[in-house]
Structure formats: structure tokens, C-alpha cells
Amino acid sequence: MTPDQHRLLLYYRAEVAHEFTLLTSRSTILVTCQSFLIVPFAILNSVAAFQTVALPALFIVCLGTYTSWIIRAPIQATHGMLDEWMCKQRRLLATVEGDEYKTTRDLLPGAAESTAHDRVHQRSIAFSRTAPIAFFLFWLCAGAFVVVRAAVGF
């Protein structure tokens, strides 16, 4: 490996690490935000006279739905950039003779074009990919529950 290739490899790895840090931060923001909304929603649902607190419960549902939807775009952008930097790194490693800088995942067929074939990578980002959708669906169901409970009066 030439010194220029080595510097480029270090740069790519730093960018991959930066994107993983962003992904971790955004996932933490999502979970923290949702937990601060689920707790008051659960408390409001324990009130005997639910009709008196149905409006605040519905407001929390709207806020939870909005935050779970809005965080999706930054998380998806991070996934895209992570894929791009990892593919650049793997294309560079494909030009290097020897395996001392490569992992077995770098040697996967098609690894330089996309991380879609890298099952380990796909599993490592699965939570950040599915959590916003799961929270969004939870809040949609919670909203339906609030409306039905307030209408029926139980």
C-alpha cells in the first residue's frame, strides 16, 4: 500500500466512524424522545376519568408520531452516507494487494458496490432502520386507542 492509499484509507475509516457516531446519536435522540413521551402517555391512560385527559393524551400521540416520522430522514441520510463511505473504502482496498488491511467482509462479492450483501452490517444498522417505523406505528395505534377510548368512555 502506498502512503497516499494509506492516508486515503485512514480518511475513509474516519468518515465511516463519524457516520456511525451520527447514527448512534440520532438513534439515541429517537429513543430518548420517545421514552419521554411514552411515560406521560401511560400515566394519562391510568386516569379513571379518561375523557378529562383525552386531549392531552391526543397531543402526546401527535407529538410522538411527528418526532418518530421527522427523525427518519436524518437516519436514512446517515445510512446512505455510511454506505457510500464503506463502498469507497472497499473499492480502495480492492486495489491493494495482500489482505492485512482487509476484513472478511471486505472480500464479499459486490462489497465495493453496495453494503446490501454485507449481512453483518445490515444487522448492525437494523435497529436504527426499523425503530422510527416501529415508534410511528405504535403512535398510530395509540392514537386510535385514545379516540376509541374517549368515544366509548371506558
Side-chain angles (χ1 to χ4, degrees), residues 5 19-23 27 30 45 48 56-57 60-61 63 84-85 89 92 103-104 111 113 120 130 139-141 147:
Q5 287 177 322
E19 293 300 328
F20 268 118
T21 302
L22 280 176
L23 189 58
S27 297
L30 171 68
N45 275 293
I60 290 172
V61 166
L63 195 56
E84 185 177 330
W85 286 116
Q89 175 182 305
L92 174 66
T103 66
T104 54
E113 289 81 36
V120 173
T130 57
W139 287 115
L140 288 180
C141 293
V147 170

Side-chain angles (χ1 to χ4, degrees), residues 45 65 81 90 96 111:
N45 275 293
T65 305
M81 289 307 300
R90 288 175 174 172
V96 175

Side-chain angles (χ1 to χ4, degrees), residues 34-70:
Q34 295 300 315
S35 67
F36 279 112
L37 292 170
I38 288 173
V39 170
F41 179 75
I43 291 170
L44 288 175
N45 275 293
S46 67
V47 173
F50 183 73
Q51 288 82 5
T52 60
V53 295
L55 192 59
L58 203 54
F59 175 72
I60 290 172
V61 166
C62 291
L63 195 56
T65 305
Y66 175 75
T67 56
S68 61
W69 180 257
I70 202 74

